[in-house]
Amino acid sequence: MTATTASEQPLIPQPPTTVTALRKAVAQIAPAALPAFTRELDQAADQARSGSDLAPLRRFTEQWAVYVQIQRQPQLAARFRELEDSAESGGTEQARQAAVELGRILDTARAALKQGPR
């Protein structure tokens, strides 16, 4: 068994996958992302209204739940940002490797959300 340091602990518990709970979480852990959250929520709501379909809102909440799952873990969030930068500014091979690791992080976050709180 390994000891967990305070910096490895999530900043907040994973919130329920509701717009209100996710907005509150984003405000706490990544306030700079609130304008994107609001813009994307508006787009999803417009798409849902025009298509009479809730799928855009489900995609929105799922996407932002994954974002919160990653951002509430400071070390993981920092690594994610490093990989995004590497994918954008690196050479072809570096970008490919960064994309692979980004995919793994996203897959792990989605799997954690499916398992629910622990």
Side-chain angles (χ1 to χ4, degrees), residues 83-90 95 98:
L83 290 166
E84 286 179 318
D85 291 344
S86 182
E88 288 180 13
S89 62

Side-chain angles (χ1 to χ4, degrees), residues 12-45 57 60-69 71:
I12 61 171
Q14 181 66 30
T17 306
T18 66
V19 172
T20 302
L22 291 170
R23 180 184 289 120
K24 182 178 175 186
V26 170
Q28 286 181 283
I29 61 174
L34 276 174
F37 180 95
T38 302
R39 183 178 57 255
E40 292 177 22
L41 174 58
D42 290 345
Q43 290 170 349
L57 289 170
F60 169 83
T61 56
E62 290 168 6
Q63 172 190 326
W64 281 92
V66 168
Y67 177 84
V68 168
Q69 173 67 16
Q71 296 301 312

Side-chain angles (χ1 to χ4, degrees), residues 100-118:
V100 167
E101 191 171 344
L102 284 165
R104 281 192 206 114
I105 292 170
L106 290 167
D107 289 346
T108 300
R110 285 185 197 102
L113 289 170
K114 285 182 183 176
Q115 289 180 348
R118 291 182 174 210

